[in-house]
Amino acid sequence: MKKLINSPATVLEESLDGFAAAHADIVTLGEERKFVRRRQLVPGKVALISGGGSGHEPLHAGFVGHGMLDAACPGQVFTSPTPDQMIAAAEAVDGGAGILFIVKNYEGDVMNFDMAAEMAGKDIMKVITDDDVAVEASTWSTGRRGVAGTLVVEKVVGAAAEQGRSLVELQALGTGVNLATRSMGVALTSCTVPAAGTPTFTLAADEMEMGVGIHGEPGRRRVALGTADEIADEMVGAIHEDFGRSGDALLLVNGFGGTPLMELYLMYHAARVRLEQRGFAVRRSLVGNYVTSLEMAGASITVTLLDDEIARLWDAPVHTAALRWGL
Amino acid sequence: MKKLINSPATVLEESLDGFAAAHADIVTLGEERKFVRRRQLVPGKVALISGGGSGHEPLHAGFVGHGMLDAACPGQVFTSPTPDQMIAAAEAVDGGAGILFIVKNYEGDVMNFDMAAEMAGKDIMKVITDDDVAVEASTWSTGRRGVAGTLVVEKVVGAAAEQGRSLVELQALGTGVNLATRSMGVALTSCTVPAAGTPTFTLAADEMEMGVGIHGEPGRRRVALGTADEIADEMVGAIHEDFGRSGDALLLVNGFGGTPLMELYLMYHAARVRLEQRGFAVRRSLVGNYVTSLEMAGASITVTLLDDEIARLWDAPVHTAALRWGL
């Protein structure tokens, strides 16, 4: 295992300390590093809390700040955070207007956020993201997995929360954005969880995992390494088929951590051409490493069907460690 | 070679097409893809042009836009762009106030930018960046290599150009920022140039290259893989020793492309603690993959000694594909 670390046992805490120090203008770290929260809270605003296993950085802590999340609870690598983390975060960022949990659809995450919602004694609702069209159930999920589309849900709902919308409205909006969002990914290499020390899975030199999950979970099938165009054909095709229609779209090409930006832009090009051939009009774009799987090589394609409201909320100002515009 | 590409021969053009489409609000692509330039030019402003071999994305095209570069000339992967690219870029972005070339100190780059300056028949000056303290000369450089500190030079000089400063002033400023900036990097793995198809160098499973260059050039020595703290000790020590003093600082922890953000923040933590122990006060921070070496695992530490002017120019609004704040 070749990593820039001191010990697998201290990776998360040292990384969080670095994150909080580098972005001290935006965030502060909760007691015992249970959560990362906005430095400036907005009283009377619905508080948005997300979280999940670490190793997907900048998701979720990198999305804490104005126009997006109020707090994020980081679990150990690829491990759900515990209910006491969400409860502590809820206590810290409750602005009196209710709390929305945004949770990727993995059994551990859903269970722990549900338990926290019950125990916190607060007005809490939740949105579950399950945008991955690759498989209908997976290693840690009943139903589809929540992957890079979670970024879109957090951005759009975060902008609406900033406008003062109610908890019920935000939950409906988040549910709608998730329904308007589809993703699919491919892995060219595995990743190595620091505490495990060996790769999560193995791929031969000429193989790829089509439809991989963000923890390296199996996808649709393991096949010979294809060209970018062949990969884009399959992923865009699966997304379009699942939508059953085309339209104005946001296109997010997301790297899993080990793929250079040069290749991500090349994949963006391949995906965009295919979306346009299928009747989509790409109106908004994002390319980069946002929902990662440690150092896994590979990428995912996410498409959100845009209406005027979602587009406007996407464009609204945001000021977080990983996404920033208009401020 | 496992890459998301169609063919080594078309990587650069397909990637540039994707980049230009994804950021069409900020940039346009020059004829024959000779350069990437700002969509909105500012008449009467000194034009800033940089460039170099591709494979370091987002450097330099990702830094084209308001508050930073006017144009960037991308060569093939790890290969200098040609003089006709710089000449075409100079024609396209000349605002009548002169042109400043910002060039990393590699022989091919310096030679080709010099040739372009001679042939263009325009008022052109240049700033050479050579911030890498690891070695005094290297595979492709006489004198120190220009590495991640180039980002700081481009940001600070870009902000000053936006204020209407003269070509002579900007050249002096850029030279000063380069002199106030030091970097050093470490590689845990090699990278593979698409056209070569095999890794640029090889490292054993327990080895790292201390002081590596951004093309995988040899550094100070090949040694056993150290901990993040040991690596930070050596890199921060080398930077501090080379400065010969401490002070207010900007700390940039830059990933080479294959290292997860989690590890970069951990390295940031290790570097920051050591800088503070040595009397530096870290006033500005940037952590991420900015000056990369394809999918190489590893990171560099860059420190710029700040005065009020450099800090103010660093904070000034910027709107590019890869760096954006205040707009």
Side-chain angles (χ1 to χ4, degrees), chain A residues 76-123:
Chain A
Q76 289 293 328
V77 174
F78 293 177
T79 302
S80 298
T82 52
D84 67 306
Q85 293 182 259
M86 296 95 166
I87 294 168
E91 285 295 337
V93 302
D94 187 355
I99 293 167
L100 187 67
F101 285 166
I102 301 178
V103 186
K104 300 192 299 300
N105 189 37
Y106 299 99
E107 279 159 16
D109 289 341
V110 173
M111 186 177 74
N112 288 358
F113 272 99
D114 279 350
M115 207 179 299
E118 266 179 46
M119 292 164 68
K122 290 180 177 294
D123 189 14

mmCIF file of all heavy atoms in Angstrom, chain A residues 76-123:
data_model
loop_
_atom_site.group_PDB
_atom_site.id
_atom_site.type_symbol
_atom_site.label_atom_id
_atom_site.label_comp_id
_atom_site.label_asym_id
_atom_site.label_seq_id
_atom_site.Cartn_x
_atom_site.Cartn_y
_atom_site.Cartn_z
ATOM 1 N N GLN A 76 -15.519 6.472 9.167
ATOM 2 C CA GLN A 76 -14.220 5.948 8.741
ATOM 3 C C GLN A 76 -14.312 5.629 7.248
ATOM 4 O O GLN A 76 -15.397 5.676 6.664
ATOM 5 C CB GLN A 76 -13.861 4.703 9.564
ATOM 6 C CG GLN A 76 -13.497 5.006 11.023
ATOM 7 C CD GLN A 76 -12.203 5.804 11.168
ATOM 8 O OE1 GLN A 76 -11.282 5.665 10.369
ATOM 9 N NE2 GLN A 76 -12.154 6.682 12.176
ATOM 10 N N VAL A 77 -13.192 5.291 6.620
ATOM 11 C CA VAL A 77 -13.197 5.064 5.175
ATOM 12 C C VAL A 77 -14.196 3.966 4.792
ATOM 13 O O VAL A 77 -14.141 2.852 5.325
ATOM 14 C CB VAL A 77 -11.782 4.692 4.678
ATOM 15 C CG1 VAL A 77 -11.812 4.312 3.198
ATOM 16 C CG2 VAL A 77 -10.836 5.874 4.895
ATOM 17 N N PHE A 78 -15.101 4.318 3.906
ATOM 18 C CA PHE A 78 -16.120 3.401 3.374
ATOM 19 C C PHE A 78 -16.968 2.778 4.491
ATOM 20 O O PHE A 78 -17.469 1.656 4.360
ATOM 21 C CB PHE A 78 -15.485 2.303 2.501
ATOM 22 C CG PHE A 78 -14.862 2.804 1.215
ATOM 23 C CD1 PHE A 78 -14.197 1.929 0.371
ATOM 24 C CD2 PHE A 78 -14.927 4.140 0.851
ATOM 25 C CE1 PHE A 78 -13.615 2.379 -0.820
ATOM 26 C CE2 PHE A 78 -14.349 4.600 -0.337
ATOM 27 C CZ PHE A 78 -13.686 3.709 -1.166
ATOM 28 N N THR A 79 -17.143 3.509 5.596
ATOM 29 C CA THR A 79 -17.899 3.011 6.747
ATOM 30 C C THR A 79 -18.882 4.096 7.174
ATOM 31 O O THR A 79 -18.500 5.262 7.304
ATOM 32 C CB THR A 79 -16.941 2.703 7.920
ATOM 33 O OG1 THR A 79 -15.974 1.754 7.478
ATOM 34 C CG2 THR A 79 -17.698 2.155 9.116
ATOM 35 N N SER A 80 -20.128 3.731 7.414
ATOM 36 C CA SER A 80 -21.133 4.730 7.781
ATOM 37 C C SER A 80 -20.736 5.468 9.055
ATOM 38 O O SER A 80 -20.183 4.874 9.971
ATOM 39 C CB SER A 80 -22.478 4.043 8.031
ATOM 40 O OG SER A 80 -22.911 3.412 6.863
ATOM 41 N N PRO A 81 -21.042 6.761 9.107
ATOM 42 C CA PRO A 81 -20.907 7.463 10.381
ATOM 43 C C PRO A 81 -21.944 6.910 11.368
ATOM 44 O O PRO A 81 -22.898 6.254 10.962
ATOM 45 C CB PRO A 81 -21.203 8.920 10.017
ATOM 46 C CG PRO A 81 -21.935 8.876 8.712
ATOM 47 C CD PRO A 81 -21.576 7.598 8.031
ATOM 48 N N THR A 82 -21.748 7.191 12.635
ATOM 49 C CA THR A 82 -22.634 6.647 13.675
ATOM 50 C C THR A 82 -23.717 7.666 14.027
ATOM 51 O O THR A 82 -23.539 8.872 13.803
ATOM 52 C CB THR A 82 -21.815 6.304 14.924
ATOM 53 O OG1 THR A 82 -21.043 7.456 15.294
ATOM 54 C CG2 THR A 82 -20.873 5.141 14.630
ATOM 55 N N PRO A 83 -24.848 7.185 14.577
ATOM 56 C CA PRO A 83 -25.948 8.108 14.893
ATOM 57 C C PRO A 83 -25.525 9.252 15.812
ATOM 58 O O PRO A 83 -26.043 10.364 15.672
ATOM 59 C CB PRO A 83 -26.984 7.200 15.568
ATOM 60 C CG PRO A 83 -26.722 5.838 15.003
ATOM 61 C CD PRO A 83 -25.231 5.771 14.813
ATOM 62 N N ASP A 84 -24.598 9.002 16.733
ATOM 63 C CA ASP A 84 -24.216 10.104 17.627
ATOM 64 C C ASP A 84 -23.530 11.234 16.869
ATOM 65 O O ASP A 84 -23.575 12.391 17.299
ATOM 66 C CB ASP A 84 -23.330 9.602 18.773
ATOM 67 C CG ASP A 84 -21.975 9.127 18.285
ATOM 68 O OD1 ASP A 84 -21.940 8.259 17.383
ATOM 69 O OD2 ASP A 84 -20.959 9.633 18.776
ATOM 70 N N GLN A 85 -22.938 10.926 15.727
ATOM 71 C CA GLN A 85 -22.360 11.996 14.912
ATOM 72 C C GLN A 85 -23.450 12.875 14.318
ATOM 73 O O GLN A 85 -23.366 14.106 14.342
ATOM 74 C CB GLN A 85 -21.500 11.410 13.774
ATOM 75 C CG GLN A 85 -20.253 10.696 14.255
ATOM 76 C CD GLN A 85 -19.415 10.179 13.083
ATOM 77 O OE1 GLN A 85 -19.451 8.997 12.758
ATOM 78 N NE2 GLN A 85 -18.660 11.050 12.448
ATOM 79 N N MET A 86 -24.498 12.228 13.769
ATOM 80 C CA MET A 86 -25.581 13.027 13.165
ATOM 81 C C MET A 86 -26.331 13.816 14.241
ATOM 82 O O MET A 86 -26.768 14.946 13.992
ATOM 83 C CB MET A 86 -26.593 12.155 12.427
ATOM 84 C CG MET A 86 -26.036 11.408 11.223
ATOM 85 S SD MET A 86 -25.546 9.757 11.755
ATOM 86 C CE MET A 86 -25.318 8.853 10.263
ATOM 87 N N ILE A 87 -26.498 13.206 15.421
ATOM 88 C CA ILE A 87 -27.212 13.903 16.497
ATOM 89 C C ILE A 87 -26.406 15.130 16.939
ATOM 90 O O ILE A 87 -26.961 16.225 17.110
ATOM 91 C CB ILE A 87 -27.476 12.942 17.682
ATOM 92 C CG1 ILE A 87 -28.458 11.841 17.249
ATOM 93 C CG2 ILE A 87 -28.020 13.705 18.892
ATOM 94 C CD1 ILE A 87 -28.582 10.687 18.231
ATOM 95 N N ALA A 88 -25.109 14.961 17.088
ATOM 96 C CA ALA A 88 -24.257 16.093 17.482
ATOM 97 C C ALA A 88 -24.286 17.184 16.409
ATOM 98 O O ALA A 88 -24.351 18.382 16.723
ATOM 99 C CB ALA A 88 -22.826 15.614 17.723
ATOM 100 N N ALA A 89 -24.270 16.768 15.147
ATOM 101 C CA ALA A 89 -24.329 17.752 14.058
ATOM 102 C C ALA A 89 -25.664 18.487 14.077
ATOM 103 O O ALA A 89 -25.721 19.714 13.901
ATOM 104 C CB ALA A 89 -24.108 17.066 12.714
ATOM 105 N N ALA A 90 -26.751 17.740 14.299
ATOM 106 C CA ALA A 90 -28.083 18.354 14.332
ATOM 107 C C ALA A 90 -28.179 19.375 15.462
ATOM 108 O O ALA A 90 -28.712 20.478 15.275
ATOM 109 C CB ALA A 90 -29.157 17.269 14.480
ATOM 110 N N GLU A 91 -27.639 19.025 16.612
ATOM 111 C CA GLU A 91 -27.620 19.970 17.738
ATOM 112 C C GLU A 91 -26.860 21.239 17.353
ATOM 113 O O GLU A 91 -27.260 22.347 17.681
ATOM 114 C CB GLU A 91 -26.919 19.345 18.959
ATOM 115 C CG GLU A 91 -27.724 18.297 19.702
ATOM 116 C CD GLU A 91 -28.981 18.881 20.346
ATOM 117 O OE1 GLU A 91 -29.023 20.108 20.593
ATOM 118 O OE2 GLU A 91 -29.932 18.106 20.566
ATOM 119 N N ALA A 92 -25.770 21.052 16.654
ATOM 120 C CA ALA A 92 -24.872 22.183 16.371
ATOM 121 C C ALA A 92 -25.412 23.142 15.317
ATOM 122 O O ALA A 92 -25.126 24.338 15.366
ATOM 123 C CB ALA A 92 -23.504 21.664 15.936
ATOM 124 N N VAL A 93 -26.191 22.629 14.362
ATOM 125 C CA VAL A 93 -26.581 23.501 13.237
ATOM 126 C C VAL A 93 -28.081 23.772 13.159
ATOM 127 O O VAL A 93 -28.535 24.442 12.228
ATOM 128 C CB VAL A 93 -26.082 22.937 11.872
ATOM 129 C CG1 VAL A 93 -24.560 22.777 11.877
ATOM 130 C CG2 VAL A 93 -26.761 21.617 11.523
ATOM 131 N N ASP A 94 -28.832 23.270 14.123
ATOM 132 C CA ASP A 94 -30.290 23.480 14.130
ATOM 133 C C ASP A 94 -30.590 24.981 14.174
ATOM 134 O O ASP A 94 -30.217 25.668 15.119
ATOM 135 C CB ASP A 94 -30.873 22.775 15.364
ATOM 136 C CG ASP A 94 -32.388 22.797 15.368
ATOM 137 O OD1 ASP A 94 -32.995 23.438 14.483
ATOM 138 O OD2 ASP A 94 -32.984 22.163 16.258
ATOM 139 N N GLY A 95 -31.253 25.474 13.137
ATOM 140 C CA GLY A 95 -31.579 26.901 13.084
ATOM 141 C C GLY A 95 -33.033 27.171 13.429
ATOM 142 O O GLY A 95 -33.528 28.277 13.227
ATOM 143 N N GLY A 96 -33.752 26.137 13.919
ATOM 144 C CA GLY A 96 -35.127 26.319 14.359
ATOM 145 C C GLY A 96 -36.165 26.091 13.281
ATOM 146 O O GLY A 96 -37.371 26.204 13.527
ATOM 147 N N ALA A 97 -35.730 25.762 12.062
ATOM 148 C CA ALA A 97 -36.684 25.587 10.956
ATOM 149 C C ALA A 97 -36.734 24.143 10.474
ATOM 150 O O ALA A 97 -37.315 23.853 9.432
ATOM 151 C CB ALA A 97 -36.308 26.513 9.804
ATOM 152 N N GLY A 98 -36.126 23.255 11.236
ATOM 153 C CA GLY A 98 -36.113 21.852 10.847
ATOM 154 C C GLY A 98 -34.795 21.469 10.202
ATOM 155 O O GLY A 98 -33.967 22.337 9.875
ATOM 156 N N ILE A 99 -34.626 20.161 10.034
ATOM 157 C CA ILE A 99 -33.359 19.621 9.532
ATOM 158 C C ILE A 99 -33.652 18.610 8.433
ATOM 159 O O ILE A 99 -34.532 17.759 8.570
ATOM 160 C CB ILE A 99 -32.574 18.950 10.678
ATOM 161 C CG1 ILE A 99 -32.127 20.014 11.698
ATOM 162 C CG2 ILE A 99 -31.374 18.166 10.147
ATOM 163 C CD1 ILE A 99 -31.620 19.453 12.999
ATOM 164 N N LEU A 100 -32.918 18.723 7.338
ATOM 165 C CA LEU A 100 -33.041 17.747 6.259
ATOM 166 C C LEU A 100 -31.757 16.922 6.185
ATOM 167 O O LEU A 100 -30.666 17.477 6.037
ATOM 168 C CB LEU A 100 -33.286 18.457 4.919
ATOM 169 C CG LEU A 100 -33.604 17.531 3.740
ATOM 170 C CD1 LEU A 100 -34.964 16.842 3.923
ATOM 171 C CD2 LEU A 100 -33.593 18.306 2.423
ATOM 172 N N PHE A 101 -31.918 15.620 6.312
ATOM 173 C CA PHE A 101 -30.791 14.707 6.108
ATOM 174 C C PHE A 101 -30.754 14.322 4.627
ATOM 175 O O PHE A 101 -31.782 13.928 4.061
ATOM 176 C CB PHE A 101 -30.969 13.424 6.923
ATOM 177 C CG PHE A 101 -30.712 13.546 8.406
ATOM 178 C CD1 PHE A 101 -31.128 12.528 9.268
ATOM 179 C CD2 PHE A 101 -30.049 14.637 8.953
ATOM 180 C CE1 PHE A 101 -30.885 12.600 10.630
ATOM 181 C CE2 PHE A 101 -29.807 14.729 10.327
ATOM 182 C CZ PHE A 101 -30.228 13.707 11.170
ATOM 183 N N ILE A 102 -29.602 14.422 4.017
ATOM 184 C CA ILE A 102 -29.426 13.938 2.642
ATOM 185 C C ILE A 102 -28.510 12.722 2.710
ATOM 186 O O ILE A 102 -27.351 12.829 3.130
ATOM 187 C CB ILE A 102 -28.841 15.032 1.726
ATOM 188 C CG1 ILE A 102 -29.795 16.243 1.719
ATOM 189 C CG2 ILE A 102 -28.635 14.490 0.309
ATOM 190 C CD1 ILE A 102 -29.305 17.424 0.888
ATOM 191 N N VAL A 103 -29.047 11.561 2.328
ATOM 192 C CA VAL A 103 -28.398 10.288 2.620
ATOM 193 C C VAL A 103 -28.272 9.461 1.344
ATOM 194 O O VAL A 103 -29.252 9.231 0.638
ATOM 195 C CB VAL A 103 -29.244 9.491 3.650
ATOM 196 C CG1 VAL A 103 -28.506 8.224 4.083
ATOM 197 C CG2 VAL A 103 -29.586 10.358 4.860
ATOM 198 N N LYS A 104 -27.074 8.995 1.074
ATOM 199 C CA LYS A 104 -26.885 8.089 -0.065
ATOM 200 C C LYS A 104 -27.466 6.722 0.297
ATOM 201 O O LYS A 104 -27.342 6.266 1.443
ATOM 202 C CB LYS A 104 -25.389 7.954 -0.397
ATOM 203 C CG LYS A 104 -24.725 9.288 -0.758
ATOM 204 C CD LYS A 104 -23.333 9.132 -1.362
ATOM 205 C CE LYS A 104 -22.324 8.453 -0.465
ATOM 206 N NZ LYS A 104 -22.079 9.167 0.816
ATOM 207 N N ASN A 105 -28.037 6.059 -0.672
ATOM 208 C CA ASN A 105 -28.747 4.808 -0.373
ATOM 209 C C ASN A 105 -27.814 3.608 -0.149
ATOM 210 O O ASN A 105 -27.629 2.784 -1.042
ATOM 211 C CB ASN A 105 -29.748 4.499 -1.487
ATOM 212 C CG ASN A 105 -30.655 3.328 -1.099
ATOM 213 O OD1 ASN A 105 -31.030 3.209 0.071
ATOM 214 N ND2 ASN A 105 -30.973 2.473 -2.051
ATOM 215 N N TYR A 106 -27.257 3.565 1.046
ATOM 216 C CA TYR A 106 -26.521 2.384 1.527
ATOM 217 C C TYR A 106 -27.145 1.990 2.853
ATOM 218 O O TYR A 106 -27.532 2.867 3.640
ATOM 219 C CB TYR A 106 -25.023 2.689 1.680
ATOM 220 C CG TYR A 106 -24.420 3.091 0.361
ATOM 221 C CD1 TYR A 106 -24.221 4.419 0.048
ATOM 222 C CD2 TYR A 106 -24.128 2.128 -0.608
ATOM 223 C CE1 TYR A 106 -23.722 4.789 -1.198
ATOM 224 C CE2 TYR A 106 -23.633 2.494 -1.850
ATOM 225 C CZ TYR A 106 -23.432 3.817 -2.144
ATOM 226 O OH TYR A 106 -22.962 4.186 -3.370
ATOM 227 N N GLU A 107 -27.257 0.685 3.098
ATOM 228 C CA GLU A 107 -28.019 0.236 4.265
ATOM 229 C C GLU A 107 -27.531 0.842 5.577
ATOM 230 O O GLU A 107 -28.321 1.294 6.399
ATOM 231 C CB GLU A 107 -28.018 -1.290 4.329
ATOM 232 C CG GLU A 107 -29.061 -1.873 3.381
ATOM 233 C CD GLU A 107 -28.786 -3.328 3.013
ATOM 234 O OE1 GLU A 107 -27.972 -3.976 3.701
ATOM 235 O OE2 GLU A 107 -29.381 -3.801 2.025
ATOM 236 N N GLY A 108 -26.201 0.850 5.766
ATOM 237 C CA GLY A 108 -25.654 1.389 7.015
ATOM 238 C C GLY A 108 -25.957 2.867 7.175
ATOM 239 O O GLY A 108 -26.355 3.317 8.257
ATOM 240 N N ASP A 109 -25.791 3.620 6.108
ATOM 241 C CA ASP A 109 -26.063 5.063 6.179
ATOM 242 C C ASP A 109 -27.534 5.318 6.490
ATOM 243 O O ASP A 109 -27.870 6.116 7.358
ATOM 244 C CB ASP A 109 -25.705 5.741 4.845
ATOM 245 C CG ASP A 109 -24.200 5.808 4.598
ATOM 246 O OD1 ASP A 109 -23.427 5.671 5.562
ATOM 247 O OD2 ASP A 109 -23.802 5.983 3.435
ATOM 248 N N VAL A 110 -28.419 4.648 5.751
ATOM 249 C CA VAL A 110 -29.855 4.879 5.937
ATOM 250 C C VAL A 110 -30.263 4.507 7.365
ATOM 251 O O VAL A 110 -30.970 5.259 8.042
ATOM 252 C CB VAL A 110 -30.670 4.084 4.890
ATOM 253 C CG1 VAL A 110 -32.166 4.191 5.183
ATOM 254 C CG2 VAL A 110 -30.358 4.600 3.476
ATOM 255 N N MET A 111 -29.785 3.374 7.841
ATOM 256 C CA MET A 111 -30.130 2.918 9.191
ATOM 257 C C MET A 111 -29.652 3.913 10.242
ATOM 258 O O MET A 111 -30.400 4.290 11.145
ATOM 259 C CB MET A 111 -29.497 1.552 9.430
ATOM 260 C CG MET A 111 -29.895 0.904 10.736
ATOM 261 S SD MET A 111 -29.147 -0.755 10.877
ATOM 262 C CE MET A 111 -27.434 -0.324 11.210
ATOM 263 N N ASN A 112 -28.416 4.370 10.101
ATOM 264 C CA ASN A 112 -27.862 5.254 11.129
ATOM 265 C C ASN A 112 -28.473 6.652 11.083
ATOM 266 O O ASN A 112 -28.715 7.262 12.128
ATOM 267 C CB ASN A 112 -26.331 5.309 11.018
ATOM 268 C CG ASN A 112 -25.696 4.009 11.497
ATOM 269 O OD1 ASN A 112 -26.390 3.088 11.934
ATOM 270 N ND2 ASN A 112 -24.378 3.926 11.406
ATOM 271 N N PHE A 113 -28.747 7.159 9.893
ATOM 272 C CA PHE A 113 -29.429 8.461 9.817
ATOM 273 C C PHE A 113 -30.858 8.339 10.360
ATOM 274 O O PHE A 113 -31.342 9.246 11.041
ATOM 275 C CB PHE A 113 -29.423 9.000 8.376
ATOM 276 C CG PHE A 113 -28.204 9.824 8.026
ATOM 277 C CD1 PHE A 113 -27.138 9.274 7.324
ATOM 278 C CD2 PHE A 113 -28.116 11.158 8.408
ATOM 279 C CE1 PHE A 113 -26.013 10.029 6.996
ATOM 280 C CE2 PHE A 113 -26.994 11.928 8.081
ATOM 281 C CZ PHE A 113 -25.937 11.361 7.383
ATOM 282 N N ASP A 114 -31.533 7.205 10.075
ATOM 283 C CA ASP A 114 -32.887 7.008 10.609
ATOM 284 C C ASP A 114 -32.874 6.958 12.138
ATOM 285 O O ASP A 114 -33.722 7.562 12.805
ATOM 286 C CB ASP A 114 -33.487 5.702 10.061
ATOM 287 C CG ASP A 114 -34.061 5.876 8.662
ATOM 288 O OD1 ASP A 114 -34.159 7.040 8.197
ATOM 289 O OD2 ASP A 114 -34.403 4.860 8.028
ATOM 290 N N MET A 115 -31.899 6.237 12.666
ATOM 291 C CA MET A 115 -31.795 6.122 14.118
ATOM 292 C C MET A 115 -31.542 7.495 14.733
ATOM 293 O O MET A 115 -32.151 7.858 15.744
ATOM 294 C CB MET A 115 -30.653 5.159 14.450
ATOM 295 C CG MET A 115 -30.811 4.451 15.786
ATOM 296 S SD MET A 115 -29.434 3.298 16.078
ATOM 297 C CE MET A 115 -29.620 2.174 14.696
ATOM 298 N N ALA A 116 -30.670 8.262 14.100
ATOM 299 C CA ALA A 116 -30.370 9.607 14.600
ATOM 300 C C ALA A 116 -31.614 10.489 14.550
ATOM 301 O O ALA A 116 -31.891 11.250 15.478
ATOM 302 C CB ALA A 116 -29.239 10.239 13.782
ATOM 303 N N ALA A 117 -32.394 10.370 13.469
ATOM 304 C CA ALA A 117 -33.604 11.194 13.331
ATOM 305 C C ALA A 117 -34.587 10.881 14.454
ATOM 306 O O ALA A 117 -35.223 11.776 15.015
ATOM 307 C CB ALA A 117 -34.241 10.953 11.959
ATOM 308 N N GLU A 118 -34.683 9.590 14.785
ATOM 309 C CA GLU A 118 -35.580 9.192 15.883
ATOM 310 C C GLU A 118 -35.099 9.708 17.225
ATOM 311 O O GLU A 118 -35.882 10.157 18.055
ATOM 312 C CB GLU A 118 -35.650 7.660 15.969
ATOM 313 C CG GLU A 118 -36.809 7.059 15.206
ATOM 314 C CD GLU A 118 -36.796 5.546 15.314
ATOM 315 O OE1 GLU A 118 -36.603 5.032 16.438
ATOM 316 O OE2 GLU A 118 -36.945 4.885 14.261
ATOM 317 N N MET A 119 -33.790 9.582 17.447
ATOM 318 C CA MET A 119 -33.242 9.888 18.761
ATOM 319 C C MET A 119 -33.051 11.378 19.008
ATOM 320 O O MET A 119 -32.972 11.815 20.161
ATOM 321 C CB MET A 119 -31.886 9.180 18.931
ATOM 322 C CG MET A 119 -32.008 7.657 19.013
ATOM 323 S SD MET A 119 -30.394 6.847 18.740
ATOM 324 C CE MET A 119 -29.525 7.362 20.235
ATOM 325 N N ALA A 120 -32.942 12.167 17.943
ATOM 326 C CA ALA A 120 -32.559 13.572 18.118
ATOM 327 C C ALA A 120 -33.677 14.416 18.722
ATOM 328 O O ALA A 120 -33.418 15.477 19.292
ATOM 329 C CB ALA A 120 -32.118 14.175 16.786
ATOM 330 N N GLY A 121 -34.918 13.936 18.618
ATOM 331 C CA GLY A 121 -36.029 14.718 19.165
ATOM 332 C C GLY A 121 -36.195 16.050 18.463
ATOM 333 O O GLY A 121 -36.473 17.074 19.082
ATOM 334 N N LYS A 122 -35.985 16.051 17.147
ATOM 335 C CA LYS A 122 -36.092 17.294 16.373
ATOM 336 C C LYS A 122 -36.964 17.050 15.148
ATOM 337 O O LYS A 122 -37.303 15.910 14.833
ATOM 338 C CB LYS A 122 -34.699 17.743 15.912
ATOM 339 C CG LYS A 122 -33.817 18.240 17.032
ATOM 340 C CD LYS A 122 -32.463 18.655 16.509
ATOM 341 C CE LYS A 122 -31.594 19.214 17.604
ATOM 342 N NZ LYS A 122 -32.113 20.492 18.165
ATOM 343 N N ASP A 123 -37.290 18.139 14.476
ATOM 344 C CA ASP A 123 -38.093 18.074 13.256
ATOM 345 C C ASP A 123 -37.166 17.740 12.088
ATOM 346 O O ASP A 123 -36.542 18.619 11.506
ATOM 347 C CB ASP A 123 -38.766 19.441 13.055
ATOM 348 C CG ASP A 123 -39.802 19.399 11.940
ATOM 349 O OD1 ASP A 123 -40.185 18.282 11.527
ATOM 350 O OD2 ASP A 123 -40.202 20.483 11.492
#
